[in-house]
Amino acid sequence: MSAIIIDGVAMAKQVLAEQKARADKLAQQARPPGLAVVLVGDDQASAVYVRSKERACRDAGVRTFDTRLPATTTEAELLQKVDALNRDPQVHGILVQLPLPAHINAVTVLQRIALAKDVDGFTWRSLGALLDGHPNLAPCTPSGSMLMLERSGVPIAGRHAVVIGRSSIVGKPAALMLLERNATVTICHSRTTDLAAMTRQADILICAIGRSRMVTADMIKPGAAVVDVGINRSADGKLCGDVDFDAVRERAGWITPVPGGVGPMTVAMVIANVITAAERTIG
Ligand code: NDP
């Protein structure tokens, strides 16, 4: 059996087209939705991510407000910038691109973003709302992963979902979202004693580890849906996920590729959150 490949590029394109219709309506009613992207320093990978988000914004009719600050920016200066964006009525969402330079406390900065503009969904209040089953703006990588499962017709309710990874931005929120949709959820991490014994029980397996091709075919239950969140560089310098794609696709029922899977969907969900935030404010 060869798995259905869930094409994140095609699905993200479709999601962005849906967002464009919402954004155009807002622009006609009042003003276009606006996203402020704050980039501190000159990390090359961050600059690439920021450019891809800005491109997607343009395609979806979302205005971007670009803030590039030098690596020498102090934490106080950055907090002032966030405060100004919190007050700006043209800005409906704020993204502070991580990583920040080492002298800036990322937690302090992220917590300063107004709840209504927290389109990454990383503030404690957004995460708390998710925990309580009343999501504000949900974290984009897990919500993109969920949409990939849902739109591919993967059954979730009553199924056993295993999430590898317990970060606050991917693993834990993904587990909460699966729980909310009535899956039975197991969370695994680096101290899990027998990882393969857990993953072999998974009808749905979310891999958010950050280890090149660590999840191998013998760890997969035949027919399972496998979502590969990982973004890694293999020894030959190529982009790859946490899953050994070529072998696992022969055993799984559904699989997301890397690149072209969760990554583009994450960007699309950021845009969807900006528009939701704008609809709440303008509406
Ligand atoms: P973190 O490093 O914060 O978390 C990784 C998790 O994996 C931790 O919980 C860790 O366990 C667990 N882990 C590490 N090694 C093992 C192991 N050998 N066995 C089992 N569990 C293990 O990473 P993130 O959650 O931020 O990101 C995970 C991956 O997803 C990365 O590759 C990242 O680049 C990618 N990513 C992709 C995005 C996208 O848009 N596609 C967006 C965000 C992230 P422990 O807690 O015990 O240390």
Side-chain angles (χ1 to χ4, degrees):
M1 184 178 69
S2 195
I4 293 168
I5 296 171
I6 306 177
D7 182 346
V9 175
M11 202 180 282
K13 214 170 158 186
Q14 189 188 342
V15 172
L16 286 174
E18 292 159 12
Q19 304 318 307
K20 175 123 181 41
R22 293 170 73 196
D24 288 349
K25 197 167 160 207
L26 282 169
Q28 278 165 12
Q29 277 174 354
R31 62 167 68 107
L35 173 68
V37 183
V38 182
L39 180 59
V40 185
D42 39 33
D43 182 81
Q44 288 305 309
S46 295
V48 171
Y49 286 134
V50 165
R51 274 200 296 278
S52 77
K53 284 171 191 163
E54 289 174 340
R55 214 175 309 121
C57 280
R58 266 198 307 280
D59 292 349
V62 172
R63 281 178 73 186
T64 52
F65 300 89
D66 210 358
T67 302
R68 307 274 160 131
L69 298 170
T72 51
T73 304
T74 65
E75 188 175 303
E77 286 166 341
L78 182 54
L79 290 173
Q80 267 176 22
K81 184 69 211 173
V82 172
D83 289 342
L85 294 171
N86 281 339
R87 287 191 300 269
D88 187 339
Q90 300 198 87
V91 170
H92 303 100
I94 302 171
L95 281 187
V96 176
Q97 184 65 43
L98 300 178
L100 290 169
H103 64 277
I104 296 178
N105 185 329
V107 174
T108 309
V109 173
L110 292 183
Q111 299 312 317
R112 192 73 158 242
I113 296 172
L115 185 64
K117 300 189 180 189
D118 178 21
V119 289
D120 257 339
F122 291 168
T123 64
W124 292 332
R125 283 181 297 161
S126 291
L127 291 170
L130 181 68
L131 179 72
D132 200 30
H134 300 95
N136 171 45
L137 295 164
C140 300
T141 300
S143 63
S145 304
M146 291 304 298
L147 199 61
M148 292 178 98
L149 293 172
E150 285 167 356
R151 291 203 173 177
S152 305
V154 174
I156 300 175
R159 301 304 160 109
H160 187 184
V162 174
V163 180
I164 317 178
R166 55 176 163 178
S167 73
S168 297
I169 61 170
V170 191
K172 282 182 199 157
L176 288 172
M177 288 176 194
L178 287 158
L179 190 61
E180 198 58 33
R181 285 164 184 76
N182 299 313
T184 300
V185 183
T186 301
I187 305 177
C188 300
H189 46 79
S190 67
R191 307 289 288 274
T192 298
T193 310
D194 187 349
L195 184 64
M198 296 294 158
T199 60
R200 277 188 213 113
Q201 298 174 36
D203 301 305
I204 298 168
L205 180 64
I206 312 276
C207 305
I209 313 164
R211 300 268 184 280
S212 302
R213 302 189 183 113
M214 196 194 96
V215 177
T216 47
D218 59 312
M219 296 168 73
I220 303 296
K221 178 177 178 177
V226 180
V227 176
D228 191 352
V229 179
I231 301 177
N232 314 294
R233 290 262 168 217
S234 60
D236 56 8
K238 285 197 182 137
L239 213 58
C240 69
D242 293 337
V243 175
D244 182 3
F245 181 85
D246 290 337
V248 169
R249 69 182 288 191
E250 297 306 325
R251 201 169 164 87
W254 296 263
I255 188 167
T256 68
V258 178
V262 176
M265 283 299 286
T266 297
V267 177
M269 300 316 282
V270 173
I271 311 288
N273 274 351
V274 176
I275 296 170
T276 301
E279 284 173 346
R280 286 178 187 163
T281 321
I282 295 169

